[in-house]
Amino acid sequence: MCSLTESELEPELIKTPLDLNTPQICKKCKENPPCVNLRGNDTYCKTCFLTAVHHKFRSTLGKNKAMRPGELVCVAYSGGTASTSLVHLLKTGIESDHKKLLFKPIVLHVDEGSVFNLDPAKRLENIREKCNYITDFAFKVYVSALEQPTRVVEYKQDEDLGLQFETVKSNELYEAIQNIKEASARQEFVNNIRREAIVQGAKMLNAAKVFTGENATKISIDLLAGVSLGKGGNLANESGFRDLRNDDVMVLRPLRDVPGKELALYAQYHRLISFTDPVLGTGQDSLFSIRKLTEDFLVGLHNDFPATLSTVFKTSDKLQIQEDRTNVTKCILCSGGVDTSAEEHNALQATMWSTIVSGKGKTLDTDNQLTSMNLDILDITSLSLEDKKTGCSSTKDNTAESECCGQGDGSCKTSNVKPLTKADVLTSVCYACMRTISSFRDVNKLPANFHQQVQYAKNRSAMKNEIQDFLL
Ligand SMILES: [Zn+2]
Ligand SMILES: [Zn+2]
């Protein structure tokens, strides 16, 4: 029998706590009195600590060979501690005399007021507050809104912001979010929209690369929550240094080696101001969503076992990103690869089978279609999707098809676009996003751009099926 205890396996766990009665010196310079204690007995003076954080940021960029001189990079700024520290680190790096950073950052702030249905005046006030502060860092600052990400305007102090909020679009997004039943699905939906808005904004600014402020603590939480949410194949893109889900814009995470605590201390020592807006889940208990529960579990465990977050974080380093995406069908929600067209039986088919069987209730024994089925993978998938077409949440989906009024002079106002069914959307998303879409009460409440994408994906797959037999 193995006689190793947990403490012997992980030496970090048996470190004696810091004794405040004995005089300490900085572990790095061995001269100055320390002012931060990172873990156990790792004490540093202010200068050594700040240099170490800066070094971690630089080495992450260096070892990944991320940037070339003169390259334009769009820095996503939310107003929080991490993104403010990121902008400060970039400013320090560009102004430093030794090994200057040679790329050109611009700052993009995406306003998320529509998630909480804030009125335009309040949203403008929030934008002004954050952007007035961040323009002091001497980078160009641009602003867009979550519901209209392609309308990007430059922010200039003491000038009117030329950003008009379209009420129709902001209401559309707010209603879409309200239409989602589960809080976990709601959070995932907003995260995906936010990511897409940043990428779209960067594209409008002609930046091929984006910096985001995820730190090591957030990445550990994202990784474990991602596993629980069934992200599987797309997890490497969410937790690695590079996110290659979009073809023309690459998202990079230069703070991924800096833990949240060190970043908070960095911001504190530099007296950086952060604006913490409420997000979905703020002030809620740990049972609010899967992500919130994972966060509370990991952070709670980390208090007693200081190696927790770094162990989870190191696992994310081992995940490999699939670089060749030429034959990958993209999920319309998260831009990851669609991983649901399996050829062997898997958990997804088991879930679909249980849904079909539970949905039949007392009619199960008399259902000839089911009893004669030999559990073919395609049969189960199509039968499960068939249920979604006729299911209660989309009863009006199949009836509302309108016809053209017949006026050929362009005055025809009727639309012949078919309303969406849940089955249409489910076939265009990955496994994790299927959970989000399944949580929609009515998929027709999805913002308009998703309707177009679903239609496009549907036409594409129909065309693929038609020409399949003729392909060599
Ligand atoms: Zn020192
Ligand atoms: Zn997806």
Side-chain angles (χ1 to χ4, degrees):
M1 210 174 104
C2 178
S3 61
L4 282 176
T5 63
E6 213 174 346
S7 318
E8 281 169 299
L9 281 169
E10 187 51 83
E12 216 170 333
L13 297 178
I14 50 168
K15 273 185 182 173
T16 44
L18 187 71
D19 181 10
L20 293 174
N21 294 322
T22 51
Q24 307 277 340
I25 55 161
C26 167
K27 281 268 161 68
K28 180 90 179 130
C29 62
K30 307 219 180 329
E31 269 177 29
N32 299 330
C35 61
V36 287
N37 178 27
L38 295 180
R39 335 145 259 273
N41 282 319
D42 283 350
T43 49
Y44 298 96
C45 70
K46 186 176 164 184
T47 320
C48 291
F49 166 71
L50 293 177
T51 315
V53 173
H54 200 86
H55 180 74
K56 272 187 192 173
F57 160 72
R58 298 282 298 246
S59 73
T60 310
L61 284 179
K63 75 181 174 203
N64 289 292
K65 298 188 177 67
M67 300 301 298
R68 282 194 295 267
E71 210 169 9
L72 192 69
V73 61
C74 176
V75 185
Y77 168 71
S78 66
T81 312
S83 54
T84 314
S85 306
L86 176 59
V87 177
H88 186 268
L89 279 162
L90 284 166
K91 187 177 186 283
T92 320
I94 282 168
E95 287 174 353
S96 75
D97 299 328
H98 177 64
K99 284 193 178 176
K100 230 178 229 203
L101 291 174
L102 294 171
F103 48 84
K104 292 178 185 157
I106 47 173
V107 176
L108 173 69
H109 171 64
V110 181
D111 180 73
E112 295 183 14
S114 49
V115 174
F116 294 99
N117 206 17
L118 299 182
D119 64 80
K122 178 70 187 156
R123 293 180 72 178
L124 282 175
E125 189 190 315
N126 285 347
I127 293 175
R128 206 162 282 285
E129 196 179 33
K130 289 173 192 165
C131 294
N132 269 346
Y133 175 67
I134 210 72
T135 40
D136 291 347
F137 289 81
F139 296 127
K140 278 193 172 183
V141 177
Y142 295 87
V143 181
S144 74
L146 197 58
E147 69 279 10
Q148 45 194 44
T150 49
R151 190 177 292 174
V152 183
V153 294
E154 189 177 350
Y155 182 84
K156 285 186 180 142
Q157 255 170 339
D158 313 320
E159 265 185 43
D160 264 359
L161 184 68
L163 188 68
Q164 298 290 327
F165 298 111
E166 279 184 43
T167 328
V168 179
K169 283 196 170 176
S170 48
N171 286 345
E172 193 183 62
L173 182 62
Y174 178 69
E175 277 179 28
I177 296 167
Q178 292 305 310
N179 197 260
I180 306 174
K181 284 181 271 181
E182 288 172 349
S184 297
R186 221 176 272 176
Q187 276 184 324
E188 288 311 303
F189 182 69
V190 174
N191 286 350
N192 282 320
I193 298 232
R194 178 187 301 124
R195 188 186 157 281
E196 187 58 27
I198 294 169
V199 168
Q200 292 285 339
K203 238 186 247 183
M204 299 310 291
L205 294 166
N206 293 322
K209 285 174 181 165
V210 172
F211 278 177
T212 52
E214 287 103 329
N215 56 55
T217 310
K218 180 162 189 313
I219 284 175
S220 310
I221 295 163
D222 282 351
L223 180 78
L224 214 60
V227 172
S228 321
L229 291 163
K231 294 201 174 172
N234 293 321
L235 209 52
N237 275 310
E238 287 213 354
S239 55
F241 173 72
R242 282 186 171 82
D243 182 345
L244 303 174
R245 281 177 287 183
N246 291 79
D247 300 327
D248 28 20
V249 176
M250 190 193 283
V251 179
L252 305 172
R253 305 184 174 98
L255 294 183
R256 79 182 291 280
D257 291 323
V258 187
K261 178 180 172 183
E262 290 178 32
L263 217 50
L265 286 166
Y266 179 89
Q268 177 81 22
Y269 281 133
H270 282 294
R271 298 183 191 284
L272 301 178
I273 300 171
S274 56
F275 305 88
T276 39
D277 285 344
V279 289
L280 291 175
T282 304
Q284 303 285 347
D285 66 13
S286 56
L287 294 176
F288 175 72
S289 67
I290 294 176
R291 191 171 285 275
K292 189 92 182 160
L293 187 63
T294 315
E295 184 180 338
D296 283 2
F297 167 70
L298 275 180
V299 174
L301 199 63
H302 187 80
N303 282 341
D304 298 326
F305 302 96
T308 306
L309 287 170
S310 63
T311 309
V312 178
F313 175 73
K314 277 176 201 156
T315 316
S316 73
D317 281 343
K318 297 187 176 77
L319 301 173
Q320 296 279 320
I321 292 181
Q322 185 187 356
E323 301 225 356
D324 180 21
R325 290 173 50 87
T326 39
N327 287 323
V328 174
T329 313
K330 269 191 183 181
C331 165
I332 58 157
L333 206 56
C334 71
S335 305
V338 173
D339 50 0
T340 50
S341 51
E343 282 165 14
E344 285 172 25
H345 282 288
N346 56 26
L348 175 61
Q349 267 71 41
T351 315
M352 283 176 171
W353 181 246
S354 336
T355 318
I356 297 167
V357 173
S358 334
K360 296 290 171 189
K362 285 182 181 170
T363 60
L364 181 64
D365 294 336
T366 52
D367 195 316
N368 291 332
Q369 197 187 359
L370 276 190
T371 42
S372 63
M373 242 169 85
N374 58 358
L375 294 182
D376 183 80
I377 201 157
L378 292 172
D379 285 348
I380 295 177
T381 312
S382 59
L383 196 63
S384 164
L385 292 176
E386 198 58 42
D387 274 4
K388 297 280 190 306
K389 276 184 184 159
T390 52
C392 59
S393 65
S394 48
T395 39
K396 64 176 183 181
D397 292 356
N398 296 325
T399 54
E401 187 180 350
S402 56
E403 284 174 8
C404 176
C405 61
Q407 305 226 359
D409 59 354
S411 63
C412 169
K413 294 282 184 290
T414 49
S415 154
N416 59 359
V417 178
K418 278 187 187 178
L420 293 179
T421 64
K422 231 176 212 180
D424 289 339
V425 190
L426 286 176
T427 44
S428 330
V429 293
C430 68
Y431 178 70
C433 295
M434 275 180 112
R435 267 201 69 260
T436 310
I437 297 298
S438 304
S439 196
F440 265 81
R441 291 188 185 93
D442 177 5
V443 282
N444 284 291
K445 286 276 190 319
L446 272 167
N449 58 325
F450 285 104
H451 288 239
Q452 290 162 6
Q453 288 186 54
V454 172
Q455 204 55 45
Y456 178 74
K458 210 174 146 186
N459 294 346
R460 217 180 135 77
S461 90
M463 190 185 73
K464 212 172 162 184
N465 284 341
E466 265 178 40
I467 61 165
Q468 206 169 29
D469 296 339
F470 302 102
L471 293 175
L472 290 174

